[in-house]
Amino acid sequence: MNMITEYITFLKERYPDILARTGEHLIIVGSAVILGCIVAISTAIILTRFKDGFASSLSFGLANIFQTIPSIALLAMLIPLLGVGRNPAILALFLYSLLPLLRNTYSGIKEVDSNIIEAARGMGYSSFQRLWKIELPLARPYILSGIRLTTVYIISWTTLAAIVGAGGLGDLIIAGMANNNNFLIFTGTVSAIILALAADLILGFISKDRTIKE
Amino acid sequence: MIRLEKVYKRYADGFQALTDINLDLEAGKIHVFIGPSGCGKSTTMKLINRLITPSEGKIFIDGEDITGVNPVQLRRKIGYVIQNIGLFPHMTISENVAVVPRLLKWDEDKIQNKVNELLSLVNLPPETYKNRYPGELSGGQQQRVGVIRALAAEPDIILMDEPFSALDPISREQLQDELTNLQENIQKTIIFVTHDMDEAIKIADNIVLMKAGEVVQVGTPEQILRHPANDFVKEFIGKKRLVEHRENPFLNSFDAEGVPSVKDVMIDKPVTASPSRGLASSLNLMEQRRVDSLIIVDKNRKLLGYAPILNVLSEISDETKVLADVMQSFKFAVKPDDPFTVALEFMGQNNAPYVPVVNDANVLVGAVTRGSIVRLMSEVYPVAEEVL
Ligand SMILES: Nc1ncnc2c1ncn2[C@@H]1O[C@H](COP(=O)(O)OP(=O)(O)OP(=O)(O)O)[C@@H](O)[C@H]1O
Ligand SMILES: [Mg+2]
């Protein structure tokens, strides 16, 4: 009981700070994911236009390499290149977002029923119209679920970005550890979890397939 | 008019799908491609809208070599019903049907009218179905939508790849009728792929029969049925249809050899029963098949005798009796190769309603009945059409 009132007082005192960190967190996640979407989705679309698999195995290989570098290592490696602060963090997280986005978009488009593609060609869709009106809409659930997945885990990884001085909810945790303040650690962690759950819920709602009514 | 000239198709994996295809497909007619699975029907059809490019040879539409035509423009002018329906699952039925008109930038009012008209044509009331998604339709309904989608932009050429395959026999017949009726008004050039010979005979102006990547025979249904080019065609058409249509060849044999033989005249499925059949159920069978006697055969179809209805009736009150107890034996049977006059003579002298036909092993293969004689006579002396 005592602890709860204490925590409420704590929240009243520190909420501007908490909100600011949350805002930073969202900006980092948003920038990384949006950049990732732009690059990965367009690359995936281009890759689906190639008949032979060379270009796609190359890109997937590359994205895979980024994926396997431990996140702390990647962040550390970027410090000498880009210094500290928000930008190197966004870059690192962006690199992490590439593989799942690339993979989902690519397989989403590739997996469109070949009969539907043939029907679209036979009806006289140009290749661009086919992409826009048929392939992308049909791949949409895949692409959105890729975005959802990526966003959720980028939100959690962004807490690490505080170690390169990017700010965000990780700041609260680091400060809490430094000052031995459990409320700070707790607030940072729980806020990151809430953000992740909220993102999952919202993006899940958006990606729901509405062509089959129940 | 569509013309294929010395067309060969080899797929990327080296498979030779088509060999030396030469076809002239007259405008305004229904051309049916038929042949066993994998013989190249779909491949040939897809050459016409350039979904497939020939490895060699040329294709002309109205005299124009289509390799010079932009494939996207070409396809918008050719209706296409894909073999596996291929509706767009994320578009409503009305959006699906409207695809090509929209690509051609028709007026929205005109599109809506067309969509409604076509949906009604195939018995899918627009109010009910327009805003549904393909996943909310049965397979047969989807197939009908696939067909009208190809008609929507009023193309002069329509390619239909097994368009009725997912329909039940009744809707299939109905759509076949619909198609032939429609065709009388619109006179499109229709290329229609099917496996079903009855369907081909029913709707085709011209049949293209294919086998293993080659065209085996081209002709009207009549020509193909009357003059099948070789044994493959005969087999493909099927004995049943050949027999049905053998009326004239059969008459020819009548002229040439004097008298047709028993096997040309007989019915091949007389009503038979086993000797252990009970009397009540035998009576029932006679009623159903409208016969006044049953031919009795053992389980190897060896002829045992017959049971006339009077014998059955006189013993019917005795539940223990079976056909064997009331059976009589035949005084006479004929062989399939006997001249049918032998049967006729016997029937005339004995006032017998029919004569059984057995092979050398005494196995029943048919019967010459009064009905079969009447049919023969009607062929020899056809109704006075020639007089008119
Ligand atoms: N893309 C392809 N690559 C290699 N072989 C192919 C390809 N498409 C079709 N074939 C082969 O070409 C042959 C003819 O195919 P096609 O689809 O024209 O047959 P079809 O007569 O329409 O058969 P069905 O009645 O089963 O539809 C088949 O043996 C098929 O396996
Ligand atoms: Mg086919």
Side-chain angles (χ1 to χ4, degrees):
Chain A
M1 207 59 218
N2 206 3
M3 197 137 105
I4 292 178
T5 39
E6 252 178 69
Y7 185 57
I8 291 173
T9 338
F10 163 85
L11 279 184
K12 275 187 188 145
E13 247 167 54
R14 302 293 291 268
Y15 83 91
D17 193 27
I18 296 168
L19 280 186
R21 298 294 150 256
T22 310
E24 281 169 14
H25 204 92
L26 284 177
I27 288 172
I28 298 170
V29 172
S31 316
V33 173
I34 289 171
L35 269 178
C37 286
I38 294 171
V39 174
I41 295 177
S42 43
T43 310
I45 290 172
I46 294 166
L47 291 181
T48 57
R49 304 295 104 171
F50 286 112
K51 282 223 173 70
D52 75 313
F54 177 71
S56 59
S57 16
L58 186 73
S59 326
F60 278 103
L62 219 59
N64 227 333
I65 290 173
F66 293 133
Q67 200 73 20
T68 52
I69 306 175
S71 37
I72 300 222
L74 185 61
L75 287 166
M77 270 159 53
L78 288 173
I79 295 178
L81 291 176
L82 293 171
V84 295
R86 189 180 285 174
N87 291 343
I90 291 178
L91 180 66
L93 295 165
F94 154 77
L95 290 176
Y96 277 117
S97 72
L98 287 179
L99 183 67
L101 290 172
L102 197 64
R103 192 173 40 209
N104 277 44
T105 310
Y106 184 81
S107 54
I109 293 177
K110 277 285 181 190
E111 229 123 274
V112 173
D113 185 349
S114 61
N115 289 312
I116 289 175
I117 300 295
E118 191 187 308
R121 291 176 64 211
M123 299 288 111
Y125 278 108
S126 68
S127 144
F128 179 74
Q129 286 168 325
R130 198 172 79 225
L131 175 71
W132 197 244
K133 298 248 170 73
I134 309 290
E135 289 168 298
L136 283 181
L138 289 176
R140 205 183 80 127
Y142 284 83
I143 299 174
L144 288 179
S145 85
I147 295 176
R148 180 177 170 193
L149 189 83
T150 309
T151 309
V152 169
Y153 80 78
I154 294 285
I155 287 177
S156 98
W157 287 4
T158 299
T159 47
L160 274 183
I163 60 168
V164 293
L169 293 167
D171 260 7
L172 298 179
I173 298 171
I174 288 176
M177 292 197 304
N179 305 325
N180 203 10
N181 182 338
N182 284 337
F183 283 168
L184 272 178
I185 300 178
F186 178 74
T187 312
T189 313
V190 169
S191 310
I193 293 175
I194 293 175
L195 277 190
L197 289 178
D200 193 41
L201 215 68
I202 294 171
L203 291 169
F205 179 76
I206 294 175
S207 57
K208 212 156 110 193
D209 182 7
R210 268 172 278 271
T211 56
I212 298 170
K213 293 180 208 115
E214 267 122 70
Chain B
M1 164 144 129
I2 302 169
R3 187 180 168 85
L4 281 75
E5 226 175 71
K6 301 202 181 89
V7 172
Y8 292 72
K9 176 66 191 178
R10 204 170 303 105
Y11 278 111
D13 61 3
F15 183 78
Q16 185 77 35
L18 296 178
T19 309
D20 197 22
I21 305 289
N22 294 283
L23 286 173
D24 276 313
L25 305 171
E26 199 186 325
K29 296 278 194 275
I30 300 183
H31 304 272
V32 174
F33 292 0
I34 190 166
S37 185
C39 68
K41 306 178 294 291
S42 299
T43 305
T44 310
M45 169 176 271
K46 287 184 220 168
L47 291 167
I48 296 169
N49 63 358
R50 289 194 60 186
L51 283 176
I52 290 178
T53 323
S55 312
E56 271 172 63
K58 286 205 161 75
I59 296 147
F60 301 90
I61 295 179
D62 295 330
E64 191 182 6
D65 183 347
I66 61 166
T67 36
V69 184
N70 175 331
V72 171
Q73 302 304 327
L74 178 77
R75 290 172 196 150
R76 289 178 188 173
K77 283 190 286 186
I78 299 179
Y80 181 42
V81 185
I82 175 175
Q83 180 160 8
N84 301 299
I85 309 179
L87 294 184
F88 304 130
H90 59 303
M91 297 185 187
T92 62
I93 298 309
S94 122
E95 285 165 348
N96 264 287
V97 177
V99 161
V100 187
R102 290 228 165 92
L103 286 171
L104 294 171
K105 308 209 157 51
W106 279 20
D107 207 60
E108 197 55 32
D109 284 346
K110 192 174 160 195
I111 294 181
Q112 288 314 317
N113 289 339
K114 192 75 200 175
V115 169
N116 291 340
E117 174 197 321
L118 288 170
L119 280 171
S120 314
L121 182 74
V122 292
N123 289 323
L124 297 171
E127 322 79 67
T128 318
Y129 290 99
K130 248 179 125 158
N131 298 318
R132 288 207 191 169
Y133 286 93
E136 299 169 319
L137 264 57
S138 74
Q141 291 171 330
Q142 291 182 24
Q143 200 160 49
R144 288 185 241 174
V145 176
V147 171
I148 59 174
R149 179 172 68 171
L151 302 176
E154 302 176 352
D156 291 329
I157 299 173
I158 303 164
L159 311 179
M160 303 180 144
D161 203 343
E162 304 192 25
F164 302 151
S165 59
L167 298 174
D168 61 281
I170 294 175
S171 340
R172 178 189 299 209
E173 292 250 335
Q174 197 186 332
L175 276 194
Q176 288 165 351
D177 291 337
E178 211 53 78
L179 183 71
T180 37
N181 288 344
L182 193 70
Q183 174 67 353
E184 276 178 16
N185 300 322
I186 59 180
Q187 308 267 315
K188 308 282 188 187
T189 309
I190 296 176
I191 316 287
F192 189 109
V193 170
T194 184
H195 276 114
D196 176 352
M197 197 67 198
D198 289 317
E199 184 165 77
I201 293 169
K202 181 162 173 186
I203 66 171
D205 295 308
N206 182 38
I207 293 180
V208 176
L209 217 145
M210 296 181 68
K211 179 196 175 188
E214 292 181 63
V215 172
V216 181
Q217 189 173 9
V218 181
T220 62
E222 280 294 308
Q223 284 164 348
I224 295 211
L225 287 169
R226 285 170 192 269
H227 309 290
N230 55 30
D231 286 345
F232 168 75
V233 180
K234 273 186 210 158
E235 194 175 324
F236 196 80
I237 293 170
K239 181 164 176 281
K240 171 180 133 256
R241 298 187 195 82
L242 273 178
V243 171
E244 273 173 9
H245 279 261
R246 218 162 47 173
E247 288 146 8
N248 282 338
F250 157 69
L251 277 187
N252 293 343
S253 75
F254 198 38
D255 293 340
E257 290 150 29
V259 177
S261 54
V262 162
K263 68 174 181 294
D264 295 325
V265 181
M266 71 185 189
I267 56 168
D268 51 12
K269 291 203 180 59
V271 187
T272 58
S274 80
S276 58
R277 192 180 184 111
L279 296 186
S281 78
S282 301
L283 193 63
N284 196 353
L285 179 65
M286 290 185 190
E287 268 168 20
Q288 261 174 29
R289 304 290 298 270
R290 296 169 191 285
V291 290
D292 58 8
S293 85
L294 294 173
I295 301 181
I296 301 172
V297 291
D298 69 8
K299 57 181 181 300
N300 299 318
R301 292 195 70 75
K302 285 219 162 89
L303 185 65
L304 298 176
Y306 69 107
I309 194 164
L310 285 177
N311 297 18
V312 173
L313 282 173
S314 64
E315 299 289 345
I316 193 130
S317 53
D318 184 347
E319 290 191 16
T320 62
K321 291 253 163 89
V322 293
L323 283 182
D325 302 316
V326 299
M327 182 173 84
Q328 297 183 347
S329 53
F330 281 109
K331 289 199 209 95
F332 198 74
V334 291
K335 297 270 155 64
D337 288 322
D338 290 342
F340 97 103
T341 41
V342 178
L344 197 59
E345 196 177 307
F346 174 81
M347 287 161 71
Q349 282 172 4
N350 296 280
N351 197 19
Y354 62 89
V355 185
V357 183
V358 293
N359 66 13
D360 292 335
N362 200 32
V363 169
L364 183 74
V365 293
V368 176
T369 65
R370 285 175 184 161
S372 55
I373 307 277
V374 170
R375 216 172 45 228
L376 174 71
M377 298 312 282
S378 75
E379 282 157 12
V380 181
Y381 303 104
V383 186
E385 261 170 1
E386 283 159 16
V387 182
L388 292 174

